[in-house]
Amino acid sequence: MAPARRDCSGWEMFLPTGCLLLSVLLFHPALAKVCNDRTKHGQDNSWFTRDGENLPIMVLMPMNESALMSSISQGIEPAVQLAIQHIRESRKYSFSLITKIYDTECDNAKGLRAFFDAICYGPKHLMIFGGVCPSVTSIIAESLEGWNLVQLSFAATTPVLADKKKYPNFFRTVPSDNAVNPAVVKFLNFYNWSRVGTLTQDVQRFSEVRNDLTNELEKADIQIADTESFSNDPCVNVKKLKDNDVRIIIGQFDENLASKVFCCAYNLNMFGSKYQWIIPGWYQGNWWEQANSTNCTTKKLLTAMEGYISVDFEPLSARQIKGISGRTPKEYEREYSRVLQQKGVEASKFHGFAYDGIWVIAKTLTRVMELLRIKQRQNTYHNFTVDDREVGKMVLDVMNETNFYGVTGQVMFRNGERMGTIKFNQFQEGQEVKVGEYNAIADVLDLINNSIRFQGVEPPKDRTFVRLQRRHINVPLYSILSTITILGMLMAGAFLFFNIKNRNHRLIKMSSPYMNNLIILGGMLSYASIFLFGLDGGFVSDKEFETLCTVRTWILIVGYTTAFGAMFAKTWRVHAIFKNVKMKKKIIKDQKLLIIVGGMLLIDLCILICWQIVDPLKRTVEEYSLEADPQGRDIAIRPFLEHCENTHMTIWLGIVYAYKGLLMLFGCFLAWETRNVSIPALNDSKYIGMSVYNVGIMCIIGAAVSFLTRDQPNVQFCIVALVIIFCSTITLCLVFVPKLITMRTNPDAATQNRRLKFTQNQKKEDSKTSTSVTSVNQANTSRLDSLQTDNHRLRMRITELDKELEEVTMQLQDTPEKTPYIKQNHYPDANNILSIRNFTDGKDGEKSILKNHLEQKPQAQWGSMDPSRINRGPLEDINSPEHIQRRLSLQLPILHHAYLPSIGGVDASCTSPNGSPGSSPRHRHMPPSYRVMVSGL
């Protein structure tokens, strides 16, 4: 038969006769020829009609001292006899209970044989009391339904017997091992522990408890962070619990492996204020000394064990209330101890449950007898009979209705399971101390005040509580830099006021005041961005922070472009004027510079608008690794930092950096090219070049350091702010402080020196030359036009003098003895011709020569002629033709040597018309610098 085959798997190893015989004997007693006829026994119904009847009770437990768990039975028998005695003394029961003990020896085969002998050869037992060993108890309990018997156990705690489909006729006064699970859940909820881990020995008993605990935890919405099972070495599993940050550990293992578990916990530092261990409470006393098979010393084990919570059923009620026997638990315990002393046996922790079990049987049988008598009286035919099946059903129903107060507390069954009291003990200073209890009937946890001692100032946390901590700018640092920024903005405002007020002053006007205003405006925008860079989510909301990201980016970029663009434009103008020496003149007005700055700003706006539309900046949070709490609390700090980023941040930054970088490099190149430009007070090009260097170098350093300190907001903000402050302040000071000093010390300096000097040094292959070139700027344009007009007028005058000179020469050559009288006004004209030599070489010097020509007085007259003799009359000797011919013979060759080569005539080295003067050494060695470059004018 199928049921027999299902149940034989646990018996074949014990009974050589096989499963078929056992199935016949246990499930079909009517077919067993060796047993007494149960039907005949079932027809004897007089046991409930007579008072004073002795009712036999079958007691199954190991009595042989060599058998496992025999010590439990030795302490149980005195409690059973004491209960029977108290029942008899109470005089409330009309019968006497007779117990017949059958030794199971904790062996499946011998236990089945004892049960078979009791059924076949013993009296008719109304109930079975006992069942200590789980394996034997489970085998017998499964067959009770076939025999119409009900078993009540006082020591079988295995959770397997809780299956009412398989063991419908089994009851127990001792709570199941699973009974501690609701108590554990209640204890976890009391301390708000919602995350636990389990460590279970790989044995069926503990696995069953763990499975039931898992269901209870899920019902209570408590997270099971990790579930570990082990057979021999638990260290690997304990390490996994630590790695998963399990703080509350529920263990299910015997005392032999408990020492290994706590040794591993000690080595892994899983004890103390951060951890809480919950283990079974049924271990023997001083188990850590008897079962220590580890390399840890007892001191180490005690250190790791300190504070653990053990959970077990309460053997005797702590409430001193008189129960069904008329005695309090303390009074009963004293009587029990006295009996033990008389018999010389050790106590069993199950004795209270055995004592209450006998009372359960007495009350059950009393109630069944009452019900049978009622039915008998209601039977009108007076031939009332009842079979064993009906009696067994009545016993089963009455057992489920049991409810009284015994020495172990309130005795009540729910689906055959005892609803008892669970106690909580804590290991404190080498011993277990009771700290509370749980009443399963009322579902109430009662903890003794101030009895639980945790290793820390508060109960352990069920996890490493992570507290998010924003990495923000320190308020003192922000305040200091903001104060410096405000001072910088005030300074910029003062410079702006100074620049506007003195915009018509020559010193300010020559340095392009409009461009200076742009430099100040860019500096003030850069200053303003510092305030925005110091704000984070601690001051503004998340949405406002995203807006802040965009605003500060726009302000900084526009401010940089405005200030640097103005400096770049002024540097470019200086470079264009002084480096392009081939141009006759270079006039670059401020309007053209403003167009350059506007173009740069337009490019910036295009980039920023595309950036904002396509991929706007958003708030992102970057979390960092956990850090220990600096105050020593049982929490972990997870720093986080807010950033302004977008999807393609690298691309957009690359575009901005490339554009600004090229502009900055070109600006530095222009500043380097014009580094030797030396301009007096009317211009600030040298300081503008220094500012370009300053901005370029500081921006490179600031960008690099800011990128490297991205995860350090205080350092990053400090560096960025200082770079902005330094660049803006130095630039403004270089541009305006020299003007302030000049105007304060020498207000008229701008009008006293109108000459600009330019010096440039160039290196050539084998020689080094120095050329001094002078020029004028755009403010001298009108002056240059005037000089060019004068130059043209002098050219015309020279032409006229040339004609007159040729006429005089021809007259002297044709008629030397008849030379007419030369008027006195010809001498000044000749002097004017000679004065032209003051013009220097080439085209490059023409403008300066014209300027000098107008400023200086006419040169001295020719030769050593006495001016007083010029005014003499024509009859004087000095004006005689001979004297005139002698003078012209000396002066005209000199004039021809200096003048004719310049207009395409003969070279100064050629022979003069007169011959002898031209060959004079004095004329031959005349320096080329005396030549007059009329064509260059």
Side-chain angles (χ1 to χ4, degrees):
M1 295 180 10
R5 292 294 300 172
R6 179 192 62 187
D7 299 324
C8 289
S9 58
W11 301 346
E12 289 178 335
M13 59 183 299
F14 303 106
L15 295 180
T17 55
C19 298
L20 181 61
L21 177 60
L22 288 175
S23 62
V24 170
L25 293 177
L26 295 178
F27 295 99
H28 300 279
L31 301 179
K33 302 299 182 180
V34 296
C35 293
N36 293 328
D37 190 353
R38 287 288 297 175
T39 305
K40 179 179 180 180
H41 281 268
Q43 293 175 351
D44 184 7
N45 297 324
S46 60
W47 63 271
F48 64 88
T49 60
R50 299 184 297 270
D51 292 336
E53 186 78 10
N54 293 327
L55 301 181
I57 303 298
M58 183 191 304
V59 179
L60 298 176
M61 56 183 179
M63 299 301 296
N64 192 334
E65 295 182 358
S66 61
L68 294 174
M69 306 179 72
S70 60
S71 58
I72 296 176
S73 302
Q74 294 176 1
I76 291 298
E77 186 179 3
V80 172
Q81 297 302 324
L82 193 60
I84 294 175
Q85 177 184 343
H86 292 166
I87 291 173
R88 190 181 303 113
E89 292 175 355
S90 66
R91 299 182 182 278
K92 295 180 181 179
Y93 301 92
S94 59
F95 56 83
S96 297
L97 295 177
I98 303 299
T99 58
K100 176 64 174 177
I101 299 177
Y102 296 90
D103 187 7
T104 62
E105 300 185 34
C106 244
D107 182 270
N108 291 352
K110 295 180 179 179
L112 285 174
R113 178 61 183 269
F115 175 72
F116 179 78
D117 290 344
I119 293 295
C120 294
Y121 306 114
K124 180 181 179 180
H125 302 94
L126 299 177
M127 293 185 65
I128 300 176
F129 184 66
V132 177
C133 302
S135 58
V136 177
T137 304
S138 61
I139 293 175
I140 295 176
E142 192 173 1
S143 64
L144 293 177
E145 187 177 8
W147 299 101
N148 297 317
L149 291 174
V150 176
Q151 181 179 3
L152 179 64
S153 175
F154 54 84
T157 61
T158 176
V160 177
L161 296 172
D163 185 2
K164 290 306 161 186
K165 293 182 179 180
K166 194 173 183 180
Y167 310 102
N169 289 23
F170 180 81
F171 290 79
R172 48 187 166 191
T173 56
V174 62
S176 167
D177 290 338
N178 288 343
V180 302
N181 292 333
V184 170
V185 172
K186 200 74 173 181
F187 186 78
L188 296 175
N189 289 330
F190 182 84
Y191 288 104
N192 297 321
W193 291 331
S194 59
R195 185 176 184 272
V196 300
T198 60
L199 182 64
T200 308
Q201 184 179 349
D202 196 8
V203 176
Q204 183 181 5
R205 175 185 179 183
F206 300 117
S207 299
E208 291 288 342
V209 177
R210 185 210 38 212
N211 294 338
D212 182 75
L213 176 63
T214 300
N215 296 331
E216 295 291 338
L217 292 174
E218 291 177 353
K219 293 178 182 178
D221 197 21
I222 296 177
Q223 177 189 359
I224 303 177
D226 190 14
T227 300
E228 297 293 333
S229 299
F230 67 96
S231 298
N232 186 26
D233 185 9
C235 291
V236 175
N237 306 94
V238 174
K239 179 66 167 54
K240 290 181 179 179
L241 291 174
K242 182 178 182 179
D243 294 340
N244 290 325
D245 191 34
V246 176
R247 299 291 195 87
I248 311 301
I249 306 170
I250 303 175
Q252 294 291 339
F253 36 78
D254 57 31
E255 60 264 36
N256 294 322
L257 291 177
S259 58
K260 293 184 178 181
V261 170
F262 282 105
C263 181
C264 297
Y266 180 86
N267 294 331
L268 294 172
N269 199 29
M270 293 181 63
F271 62 93
S273 61
K274 295 183 178 181
Y275 293 90
Q276 182 60 61
W277 288 84
I278 301 176
I279 63 174
W282 42 262
Y283 298 165
Q284 299 296 324
N286 297 333
W287 57 266
W288 56 89
E289 295 180 352
Q290 301 175 6
N292 186 7
S293 59
T294 66
N295 54 1
C296 293
T297 62
T298 302
K299 182 178 180 180
K300 292 181 179 180
L301 287 179
L302 292 177
T303 301
M305 291 162 51
E306 185 67 24
Y308 76 71
I309 299 293
S310 63
V311 187
D312 196 14
F313 54 81
E314 184 75 85
L316 291 177
S317 176
R319 299 180 180 182
Q320 300 304 314
I321 300 175
K322 291 185 178 181
I324 191 172
S325 64
R327 294 168 177 79
T328 64
K330 284 290 184 182
E331 293 173 348
Y332 157 74
E333 189 175 19
R334 284 195 294 267
E335 294 186 37
Y336 174 72
S337 299
R338 186 170 58 251
V339 174
L340 289 179
Q341 291 179 358
Q342 293 175 357
K343 295 187 175 183
V345 295
E346 294 182 358
S348 172
K349 71 173 186 177
F350 297 100
H351 66 88
F353 299 104
Y355 180 84
D356 285 341
I358 297 299
W359 281 97
V360 169
I361 293 176
K363 287 184 64 63
T364 299
L365 293 180
T366 299
R367 179 59 179 165
V368 170
M369 292 174 65
E370 292 177 356
L371 293 175
L372 290 175
R373 289 174 182 178
I374 293 173
K375 285 188 175 183
Q376 186 180 27
R377 289 194 297 268
Q378 293 176 353
N379 189 354
T380 57
Y381 298 101
H382 300 288
N383 58 350
F384 176 75
T385 59
V386 60
D387 59 7
D388 296 334
R389 183 181 298 275
E390 185 176 359
V391 172
K393 183 65 171 56
M394 295 178 65
V395 172
L396 190 63
D397 294 338
V398 172
M399 287 281 289
N400 284 319
E401 298 175 359
T402 301
N403 188 0
F404 65 89
Y405 198 87
V407 296
T408 58
Q410 190 171 1
V411 180
M412 178 183 291
F413 299 103
R414 183 175 298 169
N415 293 327
E417 295 295 309
R418 167 73 186 273
M419 304 298 295
T421 302
I422 306 300
K423 69 173 180 177
F424 290 88
N425 291 342
Q426 186 180 35
F427 190 78
Q428 300 176 1
E429 298 179 356
Q431 61 181 355
E432 289 190 353
V433 178
K434 184 178 179 180
V435 295
E437 63 180 25
Y438 168 76
N439 189 332
I441 298 175
D443 192 25
V444 174
L445 177 65
D446 185 16
L447 297 179
I448 303 174
N449 293 332
N450 301 323
S451 59
I452 297 183
R453 299 178 185 177
F454 293 107
Q455 302 300 301
V457 295
E458 59 182 357
K461 307 297 182 182
D462 60 357
R463 70 197 73 190
T464 300
F465 279 93
V466 178
R467 176 173 297 177
L468 293 176
Q469 186 177 78
R470 178 183 286 104
R471 286 185 175 178
H472 56 81
I473 310 299
N474 290 337
V475 176
L477 177 63
Y478 183 75
S479 302
I480 293 172
L481 294 176
S482 297
T483 303
I484 298 175
T485 302
I486 292 174
L487 296 177
M489 297 185 73
L490 293 176
M491 179 192 68
F495 288 155
L496 181 62
F497 175 78
F498 166 79
N499 194 64
I500 295 175
K501 181 180 179 182
N502 300 281
R503 64 185 181 277
N504 294 323
H505 193 281
R506 189 175 186 86
L507 179 65
I508 303 300
K509 191 173 183 179
M510 297 299 291
S511 64
S512 301
Y514 295 108
M515 304 305 296
N516 292 340
N517 289 341
L518 290 180
I519 295 175
I520 297 174
L521 178 61
M524 296 184 73
L525 288 176
S526 300
Y527 279 132
S529 65
I530 296 177
F531 298 108
L532 303 181
F533 276 104
L535 298 178
D536 54 25
F539 298 95
V540 296
S541 63
D542 294 347
K543 186 175 182 180
E544 292 173 346
F545 184 82
E546 291 187 357
T547 304
L548 188 66
C549 292
T550 303
V551 172
R552 71 187 188 187
T553 302
W554 281 59
I555 290 178
L556 181 60
I557 292 179
V558 172
Y560 171 85
T561 302
T562 303
F564 184 81
M567 293 187 294
F568 172 84
K570 295 181 71 174
T571 306
W572 172 81
R573 180 168 63 184
V574 174
H575 182 272
I577 292 175
F578 290 97
K579 296 299 291 183
N580 199 342
V581 297
K582 294 182 179 180
M583 294 184 180
K584 294 183 179 180
K585 61 180 180 177
K586 190 73 174 179
I587 301 175
I588 302 176
K589 298 182 179 181
D590 286 353
Q591 289 80 355
K592 190 170 185 179
L593 303 184
L594 290 175
I595 293 175
I596 294 175
V597 178
M600 294 180 182
L601 289 175
L602 183 62
I603 296 175
D604 279 342
L605 290 178
C606 292
I607 295 175
L608 291 174
I609 292 174
C610 294
W611 191 348
Q612 183 65 25
I613 295 176
V614 176
D615 194 10
L617 289 172
K618 296 182 180 179
R619 173 183 177 270
T620 59
V621 177
E622 181 181 4
E623 295 184 353
Y624 298 90
S625 58
L626 294 176
E627 299 177 358
D629 180 54
Q631 300 180 2
R633 295 172 297 179
D634 187 19
I635 60 175
I637 304 297
R638 183 179 295 280
F640 73 94
L641 188 60
E642 296 169 308
H643 296 291
C644 295
E645 293 181 349
N646 51 18
T647 306
H648 305 288
M649 190 70 177
T650 305
I651 298 176
W652 293 108
L653 288 180
I655 295 174
V656 174
Y657 285 162
Y659 166 55
K660 299 297 181 184
L662 292 175
L663 187 63
M664 184 174 58
L665 290 176
F666 189 48
C668 292
F669 167 75
L670 295 179
W672 175 261
E673 286 291 305
T674 58
R675 66 189 182 280
N676 292 322
V677 174
S678 178
I679 303 175
L682 292 182
N683 205 299
D684 54 3
S685 61
K686 181 177 181 179
Y687 301 113
I688 292 294
M690 295 172 62
S691 300
V692 171
Y693 279 133
N694 161 59
V695 173
I697 295 174
M698 293 304 299
C699 286
I700 294 174
I701 296 175
V705 177
S706 175
F707 178 78
L708 295 176
T709 58
R710 186 172 182 270
D711 58 342
Q712 303 177 35
N714 286 310
V715 178
Q716 186 183 46
F717 173 69
C718 183
I719 292 175
V720 171
L722 290 178
V723 167
I724 295 174
I725 293 172
F726 184 82
C727 290
S728 302
T729 304
I730 294 299
T731 299
L732 294 175
C733 290
L734 286 174
V735 174
F736 292 98
V737 169
K739 296 178 176 58
L740 289 172
I741 296 175
T742 302
M743 294 190 64
R744 183 177 181 84
T745 58
N746 190 8
D748 298 329
T751 60
Q752 292 175 359
N753 189 0
R754 297 181 181 179
R755 301 182 64 188
L756 304 177
K757 298 180 181 179
F758 175 78
T759 303
Q760 181 181 19
N761 296 326
Q762 294 181 340
K763 292 183 179 179
K764 295 185 178 180
E765 293 181 359
D766 299 322
S767 64
K768 181 175 182 183
T769 62
S770 175
T771 304
S772 175
V773 182
T774 59
S775 180
V776 294
N777 57 16
Q778 63 179 356
N780 292 329
T781 303
S782 61
R783 182 65 176 169
L784 181 59
D785 294 339
S786 177
L787 292 176
Q788 289 177 344
T789 303
D790 294 341
N791 187 16
H792 180 70
R793 181 177 55 81
L794 291 174
R795 279 173 157 184
M796 299 301 296
R797 183 59 180 165
I798 290 172
T799 303
E800 295 176 358
L801 292 176
D802 285 343
K803 292 180 180 180
E804 294 179 4
L805 182 60
E806 290 179 359
E807 293 176 358
V808 173
T809 303
M810 294 301 295
Q811 292 176 4
L812 291 175
Q813 290 178 354
D814 293 341
T815 56
E817 65 279 358
K818 298 179 182 180
T819 303
Y821 173 74
I822 301 177
K823 298 180 182 179
Q824 289 184 354
N825 55 3
H826 289 176
Y827 290 100
D829 295 336
N831 289 335
N832 289 336
I833 295 175
L834 293 178
S835 66
I836 296 175
R837 62 186 177 86
N838 290 307
F839 289 86
T840 58
D841 302 326
K843 297 179 182 179
D844 296 338
E846 59 183 358
K847 297 178 183 178
S848 177
I849 292 304
L850 289 175
K851 181 178 179 182
N852 294 336
H853 172 71
L854 295 174
E855 291 179 355
Q856 65 187 12
K857 294 180 180 181
Q859 299 294 325
Q861 301 299 322
W862 293 334
S864 59
M865 181 175 52
D866 187 359
S868 64
R869 301 179 62 180
I870 299 176
N871 297 326
R872 294 179 183 182
L875 299 178
E876 296 294 332
D877 293 339
I878 190 66
N879 293 326
S880 64
E882 292 80 6
H883 284 254
I884 292 175
Q885 186 176 4
R886 189 181 302 114
R887 286 196 298 271
L888 289 176
S889 64
L890 295 174
Q891 293 176 352
L892 286 176
I894 297 174
L895 180 61
H896 280 274
H897 275 269
Y899 170 68
L900 292 178
S902 301
I903 59 174
V906 298
D907 194 341
S909 62
C910 296
T911 306
S912 67
N914 294 328
S916 59
S919 61
S920 173
R922 174 182 175 185
H923 299 153
R924 230 176 7 249
H925 296 285
M926 185 181 296
S929 61
Y930 286 96
R931 298 177 184 177
V932 180
M933 304 299 292
V934 178
S935 62
L937 299 177

